[in-house]
Amino acid sequence: MKVKNIISVKNLTKRYADKTAVDSISFEVRAGEIFGILGPNGAGKTTTMEMMEALRPIDGGEVIIDGINVAKRPSKIKHIIGIQLQSSAFYDKATLSEQLKMFAAFYGRNINPMELLNEVELTEQARKYPEKLSGGQKQRFSIATALVNNPKVLFLDEPTTGLDPQARRHLWDLISKIKARGITVILTSHYMEEAELLCDRLAIMDEGKIIATGSPRKLVKDLLARGFKKDQVVEQANLEDVFIDLTGKELRE
Amino acid sequence: MKATLTFTWIQIKRMFRDKMAMFFTIVFPLIFLFVFGTIFSNSSNAQFDIAIINNAGNDFTTEFIKSFEKKDSLKIVDVSSLDDAKEKMGRGEIDSIIEVPAGFGEPNDQQIPHGELAVYYDEAEPQAGQTLASVMSGVLDEINIGVTKIEPPFKVVQKSTTTTGVSQFDYTFAGLLAFSMMTMSIFGLSNQLPSEKKTGALRRIKATPFRPRQIIIGMTLSYLVLTIVSLSVMIVVGTLAFDFDMHGNWLILAAFAILGALVMSGFGMAVAGWARNENQSAPLTQIIAFPMMFLSGTFFPRFIMPEWLQSITNWIPLTPVSDGVRMIVTENAGIVELLPQIGLLGAWGLVIYLIAFRVFRWE
């Protein structure tokens, strides 16, 4: 089976006056997979994403998404991607279904907001304002707005940061469902557990450089091959398992 | 186009759900309307507060004083003595004192009633005294004719133009409408958009194919709707509560108001589009709005300014707005008479929107 790459990033670079935020990175994303970009804060994850999304000028290198050069045709790119931004908000005093209609209109589309809200399990909140939503609901709504144009690629920037374990698991389910629809997902995270569970392949970034790429399994295998040994015996459960076991998987909103 | 209209419609809905926005659209202009309306509707029918000292106390004098009470322009204030009245006049509570001397109206040698009225007035306000003296002469002239049965061959007939012309309230009201157009557009826009840049709502839209010019057009249209609502409320209340008398054509007023509001929104939009946050937009708004407010003749007429200042304030963008509205409302001006105003507004509109499209920043 030949794998088709939907995104190709070559020598992508972003320079600021005092430092190089993204330092000539290259990677490929396969169609239909969930690709994770992992790294500590300040590693350049968000800057990389924003350059790929045509939200930030590219200083060097190139990004091709579905055959379209991002730097050359930014408006064309906007039509085929969906974006969930890390630091964004929605208008207050406009209901969820009003906002979804508005976002669809931005793409020249007509949608039934209830269908999308059903997909992210927010049908009951259709007439609420975003400011009345819980953290998890906000993230799910944000993903719904990113889906209005039926994108080929969905960008999620730290979608689960700040959520409680239940809401996080709920969002993981949603992301898996989106992948099942055939949408390619690129997400950033600094939760290893999340990456291990969700991502087909990932890139680990630090100080503007990609220091490793591959499937989670391959990366662990490579590490062990280098002779790595954990000091402790691997536990059969961890504290998060205890927390979920005690408090249940039910979403608290 | 549909995207812009959908965006506009959402903005309008949001504003009507926002209590703060509604306060500034409806309540705030009405407060101004009531303050100015109360001040100017009283002075429009020039009432004099007078005190009458009656030293005569005969039937003739009683009848004479009664004839004053029927006059709308005179309000008789009770006083205990001439000194009390003079004190009140010193404090500005009354404008004038009329002293009827003892023996007023008593027959003279020819058996004709006669007498001399004294009208006291404040040195600082000679006009009030003169006006009142002439009112009194008028009253006495009629009595003289009645007594002597001789019609004087020459007379002066006083004709007031204010009854058929423009009341002071109408004049002020036109200025208030212009003022309201400016505050709604400039203060409203330059407050809203920068704060939405800060929350990240605009950032999210930046990620879609929606363009800056569509934001500018959409925001302008939504503020136009809001301004029209605000002006309509003012006109309804002004008509019901203060007898606002529209001398011009409503359609021309509506069209001119839309042009004025659009140009004013351009200023709000240029500031709001440029500013990254409210800290940048607030001072810039003040710099633009306050000179307009005081120099464009919205609140006090520009003809009291020195010539050199008038020649500058002629060109301020709010000047054609307030002049134009005033010309329509008080002089029934048509499109042709308004051409200088429309031309100047058109020029300002072109310039300010070019700037607004240029300086817009998403965040």
Side-chain angles (χ1 to χ4, degrees):
Chain A
M1 190 185 86
K2 192 179 181 303
V3 281
K4 183 181 161 252
N5 287 335
I6 191 162
I7 299 175
S8 130
V9 175
K10 275 195 203 110
N11 304 323
L12 186 63
T13 303
K14 182 79 203 176
R15 286 182 214 95
Y16 292 114
D18 49 339
K19 69 165 192 170
T20 305
V22 175
D23 194 356
S24 188
I25 61 169
S26 301
F27 59 91
E28 251 110 43
V29 180
R30 294 171 189 160
E33 73 174 351
I34 300 182
F35 187 87
I37 302 176
L38 267 66
N41 285 331
K45 303 187 298 286
T46 299
T47 310
T48 302
M49 292 272 268
E50 289 185 348
M51 283 193 285
M52 295 170 76
E53 295 158 349
L55 287 178
R56 214 173 267 275
I58 292 171
D59 291 349
E62 64 171 17
V63 179
I64 311 281
I65 300 178
D66 201 32
I68 301 165
N69 188 315
V70 172
K72 285 183 184 146
R73 307 184 70 185
S75 56
K76 188 103 187 187
I77 284 295
K78 283 177 175 178
H79 279 279
I80 62 161
I81 64 171
I83 302 176
Q84 182 255 316
L85 292 163
Q86 194 188 129
S87 55
S88 74
F90 292 95
Y91 278 136
D92 57 350
K93 297 186 179 64
T95 68
L96 302 194
S97 63
E98 284 169 351
Q99 308 227 24
L100 285 176
K101 275 190 202 158
M102 180 181 83
F103 274 101
F106 290 168
Y107 293 92
R109 283 169 181 260
N110 250 327
I111 52 144
N112 177 3
M114 291 317 282
E115 266 174 36
L116 262 179
L117 288 172
N118 186 37
E119 221 168 304
V120 298
E121 294 174 49
L122 286 172
T123 39
E124 281 172 34
Q125 280 75 28
R127 296 170 71 86
K128 275 193 183 166
Y129 301 147
E131 62 267 29
K132 306 279 182 209
L133 300 181
S134 72
Q137 289 173 332
K138 267 186 196 148
Q139 288 297 40
R140 271 163 25 228
F141 175 62
S142 180
I143 290 175
T145 64
L147 293 174
V148 289
N149 57 330
N150 205 8
K152 289 185 175 166
V153 181
L154 179 64
F155 289 89
L156 305 174
D157 198 358
E158 295 191 12
T160 62
T161 299
L163 300 186
D164 68 34
Q166 281 90 357
R168 186 177 301 155
R169 269 151 208 273
H170 195 229
L171 208 67
W172 290 345
D173 290 344
L174 175 63
I175 294 169
S176 302
K177 257 170 47 187
I178 291 169
K179 181 198 167 184
R181 274 175 49 181
I183 296 172
T184 307
V185 178
I186 300 180
L187 62 84
T188 65
S189 181
H190 38 225
Y191 298 114
M192 296 308 125
E193 190 204 356
E194 180 170 295
E196 199 164 0
L197 199 102
L198 278 179
C199 297
D200 297 301
R201 291 190 319 123
L202 43 90
I204 296 176
M205 265 188 101
D206 194 22
E207 290 177 342
K209 289 194 172 75
I210 288 186
I211 47 180
T213 35
S215 68
R217 189 176 286 260
K218 178 182 170 280
L219 290 171
V220 172
K221 228 162 140 189
D222 290 353
L223 176 68
L224 292 174
R226 290 200 296 271
F228 175 85
K229 274 203 177 68
K230 256 195 182 175
D231 293 343
Q232 287 173 301
V233 181
V234 177
E235 303 273 353
Q236 290 304 302
N238 61 19
L239 188 58
E240 174 144 343
D241 297 324
V242 175
F243 183 82
I244 291 291
D245 183 58
L246 292 175
T247 59
K249 286 189 176 172
E250 291 302 300
L251 209 52
R252 313 289 172 83
E253 294 180 333
Chain B
M1 187 63 190
K2 187 178 174 267
T4 310
L5 289 181
T6 311
F7 175 77
T8 308
W9 180 230
I10 297 269
Q11 298 304 329
I12 293 171
K13 280 196 197 171
R14 290 180 62 223
M15 287 195 250
F16 279 92
R17 289 168 186 164
D18 184 356
K19 290 195 186 79
M20 202 59 174
M22 279 305 100
F23 175 83
F24 281 105
T25 307
I26 301 194
V27 184
F28 190 65
L30 286 188
I31 292 173
F32 268 83
L33 177 57
F34 273 93
V35 169
F36 282 90
T38 322
I39 295 171
F40 290 112
S41 59
N42 275 346
S43 61
S44 67
N45 50 347
Q47 205 182 40
F48 285 103
D49 295 326
I50 59 164
I52 298 176
I53 309 294
N54 185 354
N55 294 329
N58 48 30
D59 291 349
F60 181 87
T61 314
T62 314
E63 279 301 309
F64 176 66
I65 291 172
K66 260 192 193 154
S67 69
F68 291 166
E69 288 167 0
K70 282 181 239 148
K71 282 199 177 288
D72 289 336
S73 56
L74 299 180
K75 191 180 154 220
I76 297 167
V77 177
D78 280 334
V79 287
S80 53
S81 65
L82 184 61
D83 287 336
D84 177 33
K86 279 179 177 166
E87 214 173 279
K88 279 202 164 99
M89 192 159 73
R91 289 198 298 264
E93 286 174 35
I94 54 179
D95 298 301
S96 183
I97 306 164
I98 294 166
E99 192 186 20
V100 186
F104 183 80
E106 302 285 334
N108 63 3
D109 302 343
Q110 283 98 44
Q111 295 306 303
I112 297 169
H114 80 299
E116 213 168 71
L117 274 183
V119 174
Y120 294 84
Y121 62 90
D122 196 326
E123 231 179 1
E125 286 181 72
Q127 278 170 329
Q130 280 160 18
T131 312
L132 210 68
S134 77
V135 170
M136 289 301 124
S137 304
V139 173
L140 290 182
D141 280 346
E142 274 184 30
I143 297 173
N144 288 341
I145 295 165
V147 171
T148 58
K149 310 272 190 260
I150 298 167
E151 189 79 12
F154 295 105
K155 316 192 249 198
V156 174
V157 181
Q158 289 193 10
K159 282 185 180 165
S160 152
T161 56
T162 50
T163 50
T164 53
V166 180
S167 75
Q168 186 153 11
F169 173 77
D170 294 347
Y171 187 85
T172 314
F173 186 64
L176 265 182
L177 292 179
F179 170 74
S180 195
M181 274 186 236
M182 185 202 70
T183 50
M184 290 284 305
S185 310
I186 296 189
F187 285 100
L189 257 172
S190 64
N191 191 31
Q192 188 193 336
L193 208 61
S195 86
E196 285 164 1
K197 286 183 189 176
K198 220 169 58 183
T199 63
L202 230 61
R203 229 177 105 73
R204 178 64 188 85
I205 294 175
K206 186 191 175 191
T208 74
F210 207 53
R211 318 292 323 145
R213 66 183 149 81
Q214 292 175 296
I215 296 223
I216 293 174
I217 294 169
M219 294 299 280
T220 303
L221 286 180
S222 60
Y223 269 86
L224 182 62
V225 171
L226 208 65
T227 306
I228 290 172
V229 169
S230 180
L231 296 185
S232 307
V233 171
M234 283 179 78
I235 288 172
V236 168
V237 175
T239 307
L240 295 179
F242 299 103
D243 294 324
F244 163 61
D245 194 7
M246 170 66 163
H247 292 263
N249 182 309
W250 286 106
L251 269 180
I252 293 178
L253 180 65
F256 188 79
I258 288 171
L259 176 67
L262 280 179
V263 174
M264 287 298 123
S265 291
F267 284 89
M269 203 55 233
V271 173
W274 169 81
R276 292 183 195 276
N277 50 47
E278 296 104 312
N279 292 344
Q280 285 186 333
S281 66
L284 195 58
T285 311
Q286 315 278 350
I287 290 171
I288 294 176
F290 278 103
M292 278 205 220
M293 205 183 290
F294 295 114
L295 297 177
S296 67
T298 44
F299 287 135
F300 40 85
R302 283 192 310 123
F303 57 71
I304 60 172
M305 294 175 188
E307 292 264 333
W308 65 268
L309 190 58
Q310 278 189 50
S311 61
I312 297 170
T313 56
N314 265 334
W315 302 98
I316 290 181
L318 191 59
T319 304
V321 180
S322 56
D323 283 358
V325 172
R326 200 161 276 152
M327 282 161 69
I328 298 168
V329 164
T330 64
E331 296 165 24
N332 189 16
I335 301 283
V336 176
E337 288 104 310
L338 290 167
L339 278 179
Q341 278 73 27
I342 293 171
L344 184 53
L345 273 178
W348 269 113
L350 204 66
V351 169
I352 199 63
Y353 277 100
L354 278 178
I355 293 174
F357 283 113
R358 264 264 150 103
V359 299
F360 183 86
R361 296 192 286 201
W362 281 103
E363 43 194 314

